Amino acid sequence: MGAFVRIPADVVHLADARRATERSVRLLSFQVATTTVTADDFAAGRFLAAGAIGGAPASGVSWREAVSWCNRASEHDGLEPAYVLAGETVHWNPASDGYRLPTEAEWVLASKGGVDGPRYGALRDIGWTAADGVLAPQPVAQKRANAYGVFDVLGNVWEWCWDRLDPARYGDYRVFKGGGWADPEWSCRVGVRRGNAPDAVVDDVGFRVVRGVVAAESGVDGGQGWSESADRARASLSGPLPVGWTPLP
């Protein structure tokens, strides 16, 4: 099992720029890995050592590969897998205690470290970006952690989240957050969100995992700021679709 810290229950505020809306999400307490999954951990299909810190983060990982890794690592550590994989469909069991991708709201809360604003410190001190002139992801946990003890939430590699990016426009595209080693300063802010298809492989995208039961029963519709029914509602548009839009079926 990797190194985890507990994030206290709190409220976070999320904005949807396209729809010009904001919402507040009340989160239950959960645990988050102090670092992104490393390349060695990813290759092994599990955390290699409890509390071990070091090595480059896994990168060029698709969203589907990330959720599959979560299930394998959960099974290895005797935890109930968080995901049910059925062909191209992935269902999250919010009553599971296994490893999973954070919801966007969870990622935002963990990354802020109790600080309001786009970053918890000077970017040069907390994240690897284009300003450092590096040509690849750097070993994890080499710069300053936030007040929760979480490293590299900004810069180094973008991190997949569970949530869909914009189900009305991009269908099943999933969110990634945080910025990467080649990104300029404006990309490495808590509020920036990007995304891609679940099977897309992007060279500067990796992932971090969380744990936490957020529902008493497996049939509950999501949690921690996400639900399938809410995504379906967001994807429902009346009238002809703009060119290039591919909403959820």
Side-chain angles (χ1 to χ4, degrees), residues 106-114 119-120 146 148 150 153-154 190:
E106 288 176 324
W107 188 95
V108 168
L109 181 59
S111 68
K112 289 170 74 70
R119 305 179 186 90
Y120 65 84
N146 67 20
Y148 292 141
V150 183
V153 287
L154 300 178
V190 170

Side-chain angles (χ1 to χ4, degrees), residues 48 53 83 103 175 213 227 240 249:
L48 290 173
I53 290 180
Y83 301 117
T103 66
V175 169
V213 174
S227 78

Side-chain angles (χ1 to χ4, degrees), residues 54-80:
S59 59
V61 177
S62 74
W63 185 89
R64 292 192 187 282
E65 289 173 329
V67 298
S68 294
W69 187 93
C70 288
N71 274 5
R72 292 197 303 275
S74 295
E75 290 168 351
H76 178 271
D77 288 347
L79 304 172
E80 181 183 8

Side-chain angles (χ1 to χ4, degrees), residues 4 27-33 37 47 66-67 69-71 73-74 79-83 92-104 106-107 160-163 207-215 223-224 226:
F4 284 74
L27 295 175
L28 301 175
S29 178
F30 61 97
Q31 296 180 67
V32 63
V37 171
F47 288 112
V67 298
W69 187 93
C70 288
N71 274 5
S74 295
L79 304 172
E80 181 183 8
Y83 301 117
W92 168 31
N93 173 10
S96 162
D97 64 349
Y99 304 125
R100 57 183 176 82
L101 297 179
T103 66
E104 184 174 6
E106 288 176 324
W107 188 95
W160 285 115
C161 294
W162 168 255
D163 302 47
F207 67 107
R208 181 188 310 267
V209 301
V210 301
R211 288 186 60 197
V213 174
V214 299
Q224 301 292 77
W226 176 87

Side-chain angles (χ1 to χ4, degrees), residues 16 18-19 164-168 230-237:
D16 184 329
R18 183 183 66 79
R19 301 172 73 207
R164 294 184 177 93
L165 178 65
D166 183 343
D231 273 1
R232 295 289 170 182
R234 291 169 60 209
S236 298
L237 296 174

